[in-house]
Amino acid sequence: MILYWLLPAAITLGIISSLEDIRFGKIRNKWIYFGLGYAVLVYHILFFFVDWYDLTIIHFYALALNGIIALAIGVLLWRLRLWTAGDAKLYLCFALLVPPMLILGKPSITSIDLLINTFIPIGLYLAFSALEKSSIEQKIAALKHTFEPRRFAPHALLLFFLIWPLKSLSSLIDMEGIVLIAVLAIMLFFNQFSKIHSNLGLLAIIALAASRLLFDSSVLSQQAWIEFGLLILLFVIIRFYLNGIAASAFTRKIDVHDLREGMMPAKVFVQSQKRWVLQDFP
């Protein structure tokens, strides 16, 4: 099985990266190079020197596209500050070391499965841990912060618009990774655009939402509004409510003079008017 060629490196990289992340708060690049180099070496052997797996050019293209999708998703999540550059590089390594299209014996683009199967179990664990550790006051404060109109409305309008093109895209392209890349790219665009032109960004989002009302006939159905309501509720619970609770439950204030190597900041440093300020992660 091809799995036996790749599994030792995947397990080794997983153990080393976990230990380094716990001890130092980062993963050194030499281990990323090890994972990428091992994957390239194994694929070179499998495609050019081994005949009994019946790998074709279709498998090669699927494997390459799988890596490109993983790289694009990793970079976009990094640019959106949803994880670090090290996490993006590590995700690319594992996407190449655990490629379902080779393990299952058929060419398919499934690097998105690795992302989902990693984030959902860990996300559920962290969510329940945050709910358990946070106080009633912290839960109420996070709830109030979640539905602040200036914070909630732009995301609701943008999500309302995104449902429209993404439904069309998913019906044309049967690749969850491509659809996710489109979502993240649009989010990044509006994130960057709003920083430069905050008022114009909001007006653009309102205009896009209005265009869906005018040109998408599906909004006339009750089912469309039920789907939108459930999606926006799920989004704000995960993105704002649970994130707010986690920020209270898993962080503590510390004097800048007491900072030590390996500590992870709960806020991001942003340069504003020639000075550095702390802001919440977007």
Side-chain angles (χ1 to χ4, degrees):
M1 293 178 64
I2 296 177
L3 178 63
Y4 297 146
W5 290 75
L6 298 164
L7 193 59
I11 293 175
T12 302
L13 183 62
I15 293 173
I16 292 175
S17 60
S18 298
L19 291 175
E20 290 225 327
D21 197 23
I22 292 171
R23 291 180 61 188
F24 308 114
K26 62 180 181 180
I27 302 164
R28 285 176 288 182
N29 283 333
K30 68 177 183 179
W31 300 116
I32 304 297
Y33 298 148
F34 160 75
L36 293 175
Y38 184 90
V40 170
L41 176 63
V42 167
Y43 294 143
H44 183 76
I45 294 172
L46 291 178
F47 277 101
F48 296 104
F49 298 101
V50 176
D51 298 327
W52 56 82
Y53 290 114
D54 295 325
L55 299 179
T56 66
I57 192 65
I58 297 177
H59 290 88
F60 178 80
Y61 287 144
L63 180 65
L65 185 56
N66 183 63
I68 292 171
I69 288 175
L71 177 63
I73 291 174
V75 170
L76 287 168
L77 288 173
W78 167 58
R79 293 294 298 167
L80 286 166
R81 293 175 180 160
L82 297 177
W83 64 13
T84 65
D87 294 324
K89 290 182 285 187
L90 193 63
Y91 169 59
L92 174 61
C93 281
F94 281 114
L96 294 177
L97 288 171
V98 192
M101 83 283 298
L102 293 185
I103 294 171
L104 298 177
K106 58 180 181 180
S108 59
I109 310 301
T110 50
S111 60
I112 189 65
D113 294 339
L114 178 63
L115 194 69
I116 293 172
N117 293 332
T118 301
F119 270 70
I120 288 182
I122 295 175
L124 289 174
Y125 169 76
L126 292 176
F128 284 113
S129 297
L131 289 170
E132 180 185 3
K133 293 182 179 181
S134 58
S135 64
I136 297 296
E137 292 77 12
Q138 289 173 330
K139 292 182 176 69
I140 295 174
L143 186 62
K144 291 179 179 178
H145 192 49
T146 296
F147 291 99
E148 288 179 356
R150 292 181 61 183
R151 194 181 198 194
F152 173 79
H155 289 86
L157 291 172
L158 183 58
L159 181 62
F160 176 75
F161 166 75
L162 285 177
I163 292 172
W164 180 26
L166 292 178
K167 275 190 173 182
S168 302
L169 183 63
S170 61
S171 63
L172 295 173
I173 303 176
D174 188 22
M175 293 184 190
E176 297 90 344
I178 299 294
V179 176
L180 179 59
I181 288 172
V183 173
L184 296 176
I186 293 171
M187 288 175 61
L188 180 60
F189 170 77
F190 277 102
N191 200 6
Q192 298 299 319
F193 186 79
S194 297
K195 288 179 180 178
I196 302 172
H197 307 288
S198 57
N199 293 330
L200 288 177
L202 180 59
L203 289 175
I205 292 173
I206 293 173
L208 290 173
S211 69
R212 186 188 176 195
L213 286 173
L214 292 173
F215 301 109
D216 182 17
S217 58
S218 69
V219 298
L220 300 176
S221 67
Q222 184 180 12
Q223 182 65 27
W225 288 100
I226 293 174
E227 289 179 359
F228 169 67
L230 292 174
L231 280 174
I232 191 61
L233 182 61
L234 181 63
F235 175 81
V236 297
I237 287 176
I238 295 174
R239 183 67 185 87
F240 297 131
Y241 182 66
L242 290 177
N243 189 51
I245 291 177
S248 302
F250 298 134
T251 61
R252 60 189 176 91
K253 292 183 179 181
I254 188 169
D255 189 270
V256 67
H257 300 292
D258 296 326
L259 290 175
R260 297 291 182 270
E261 183 179 356
M263 290 184 174
M264 301 293 292
K267 295 189 176 184
V268 62
F269 291 92
V270 177
Q271 192 170 15
S272 175
Q273 298 179 353
K274 298 182 179 180
R275 56 191 292 263
W276 290 93
V277 295
L278 281 172
Q279 290 183 2
D280 292 330
F281 281 96

